[in-house]
Each structure stands twice: as structure tokens, then as C-alpha cells.
Amino acid sequence: AIANAKDPEMISSALPAYILMTESLIAKDPENDQIKLNAAKLYSVYLGLFDQAPSSRKRLSKHALAYTIEVACKKDQNYCNVDKQNFKEFSKNLNSVGHEEIEWLYSLAISWGQYIEAHKDDWNAIAQLAQVKAILQKITEYNSAYDKGNPILYLGIMESLIPPALGGNPDKARQYFEKSIAISGEQNLMPKVLYADNFARMMFDRELHDKLINEVLMANPEKEGFTLSNYLAQDKAAKLKQSADEYF
């Protein structure tokens, strides 16, 4: 119902009530891992699609990450202190996780990534990006179309964080974005907007930027499973188009 909603403002106002309801279910059944993963997913939608005050993003992302680590710890004791492990230890544990564990592993990656984004003023948090990237790569190895291609989209964003002059890999970023677009059959407009914002602007590719933005603005946003994010994508595309002359 949330994914197919046509009014982003209504969903932005309504989501906190859903989150509080889920928290009440956890309070009544604190050992239910599935409800905790559902709560983490709701927090991810709320933080991923709607702007929040920095202090609120820090608190909510920390809370969601705690849920996913708690579930991960019960599934595999090697993950009980996953956010404290060095990369070598983490990689060893990740290699032992099978494809049947994708759900909680993906929830961990998204919650962890949002925690890092909310705490980007903390270098200790930023240093954990490699772990999140490794999880997403593991998931795409098992199922490249998982969650409608969003793990690949997140990898594209992460590969775009570092400019080529500083060692970034724009070719890999481009491949991730284009694969994410293809997986949804271009039904999902958000990958095109993020492709324009994170990649085309970084590369100062005005032609690609404008092509992507115009395609998003001309598309029908009402697609099954993508309607809400498509309306938000068009809002973001309009802002990018308005600022393009100044940026380029």
C-alpha cells in the first residue's frame, strides 16, 4: 500500500504511526525477529525517502541498526558485534553466510548504510562503508535482481562517492546504475534520478544528466510497486533540472 501510494506528503505524515504500531508489536512480542526486521524496513523507507532533521536521522538510524544487529546475532553469533569487527574478520564471517540468509543480511546492509550516512561527521562510521559494500556485493552474487535491483543501485551510489581523480571507479558506477534501471524494466524512476545526481554531476556529463532527468519527468509515475518512489523521483528530478544551469 505504501509503495503504491500517490501522495508522498500523506505517506510522510502517516509512516510514523505505522512505525509506532510496529514498535508496540515488538513490545508485546520482543523475541519476534520478523517484526523487528519489518520495523527496520519501515525506518529505512522513512529515512530513505523523506528528509529528516540530522539529530532525528542519527537517533532513528541507530535504533534501526540495533534491531538488525540483534536479529543478525540470533541468526549467526559471528554477527553479534559486527559493527565492531575489523574488515578482515568481517569478510571471513561474511563468506560463511548462505543465500538463505539474504533477508536479514540485506536489512543489516540498509540499516548500516543509513546509520553511516546519518553519522557522516564520524570517521569511525565512514570507515565501515567497506563492510556495507561487501554485504551488497554478496547479495547481488546470490540474486542480482533482489529487492527489484536496489542492492545494485546502492552499489552504484557508493561507487560514485569518490571522484576518478581520487581513485574512484566511474565505469563500475555506470554499470551498476544502468543494470539497476534495466532490472525494473525502467518502471522504477529513482535509479535514473540517482544516476543523474550522483554520477552525471560528478562526471560533469551534462548531456547524460539532462537525458536522464527529462526521461523521468516525461514518464508515467504510476507503476505497480514503484508509484510512491516515482512521484518522489519526479520531484527530485524537477529540482535537479532547475539547478542544472548553475551546477554545470
Side-chain angles (χ1 to χ4, degrees):
I2 292 171
N4 289 313
K6 300 176 183 179
D7 189 336
E9 290 188 10
M10 179 189 73
I11 295 301
S12 178
S13 300
L15 264 178
Y18 282 103
I19 292 171
L20 288 173
M21 181 181 69
T22 306
E23 290 286 3
S24 71
L25 294 175
I26 293 171
K28 291 176 64 176
D29 189 3
E31 299 303 315
N32 192 316
D33 293 341
Q34 189 58 55
I35 297 177
K36 290 178 181 176
L37 290 181
N38 290 342
K41 182 180 289 187
L42 284 173
Y43 281 116
S44 294
V45 171
Y46 190 53
L47 293 171
L49 295 181
F50 303 106
D51 292 332
Q52 308 296 327
S55 58
S56 180
R57 295 188 71 83
K58 287 185 175 183
R59 287 194 299 270
L60 296 179
S61 63
K62 182 178 181 180
H63 187 58
L65 179 59
Y67 276 150
T68 55
I69 291 179
E70 184 180 343
V71 173
C73 177
K74 290 173 69 175
K75 300 290 185 180
D76 186 334
Q77 290 188 351
N78 289 323
Y79 284 78
C80 292
N81 63 339
V82 66
D83 56 332
K84 304 294 191 301
Q85 296 171 2
N86 60 47
F87 187 74
K88 183 177 181 180
E89 180 184 5
F90 170 82
S91 297
K92 180 181 178 181
N93 293 330
L94 182 62
N95 288 333
S96 67
V97 176
H99 64 87
E100 68 279 1
E101 309 292 348
I102 282 183
E103 183 183 12
W104 65 260
L105 197 62
Y106 184 53
S107 292
L108 175 62
I110 299 307
S111 297
W112 203 350
Q114 289 182 329
Y115 173 86
I116 293 170
E117 187 276 332
H119 294 80
K120 56 190 174 185
D121 55 347
D122 180 354
W123 282 106
N124 290 323
I126 295 295
Q128 297 173 340
L129 271 174
Q131 280 89 321
V132 176
K133 183 178 177 180
I135 295 175
L136 293 172
Q137 288 173 331
K138 173 65 72 174
I139 290 170
T140 59
E141 288 174 10
Y142 286 137
N143 183 356
S144 62
Y146 189 78
D147 191 31
K148 303 172 183 176
N150 278 325
I152 290 176
L153 175 60
Y154 296 137
L155 285 169
I157 294 170
M158 294 178 75
E159 290 291 349
S160 302
L161 293 175
I162 303 175
L166 297 178
N169 191 333
D171 288 339
K172 184 175 288 188
R174 181 190 290 271
Q175 290 170 12
Y176 281 137
F177 280 119
E178 292 183 351
K179 188 171 183 179
S180 175
I181 292 168
I183 286 172
S184 76
E186 301 198 26
Q187 300 290 296
N188 184 3
L189 301 179
M190 192 61 78
K192 289 188 176 183
V193 175
L194 296 175
Y195 189 10
D197 190 19
N198 292 275
F199 179 86
R201 289 201 170 204
M202 177 186 70
M203 300 299 292
F204 286 92
D205 189 337
R206 178 71 185 266
E207 182 179 357
L208 174 63
H209 177 275
D210 290 356
K211 174 180 178 293
L212 292 166
I213 293 304
N214 289 332
E215 287 176 356
V216 170
L217 292 174
M218 293 174 63
N220 176 7
E222 296 183 11
K223 302 295 182 182
E224 179 66 26
F226 298 111
T227 299
L228 175 63
S229 65
N230 283 349
Y231 273 111
L232 289 165
Q234 288 188 328
D235 288 345
K236 185 173 179 64
K239 293 175 182 177
L240 290 174
K241 184 171 184 176
Q242 186 175 21
S243 65
D245 286 341
E246 181 180 351
Y247 185 88
F248 290 99

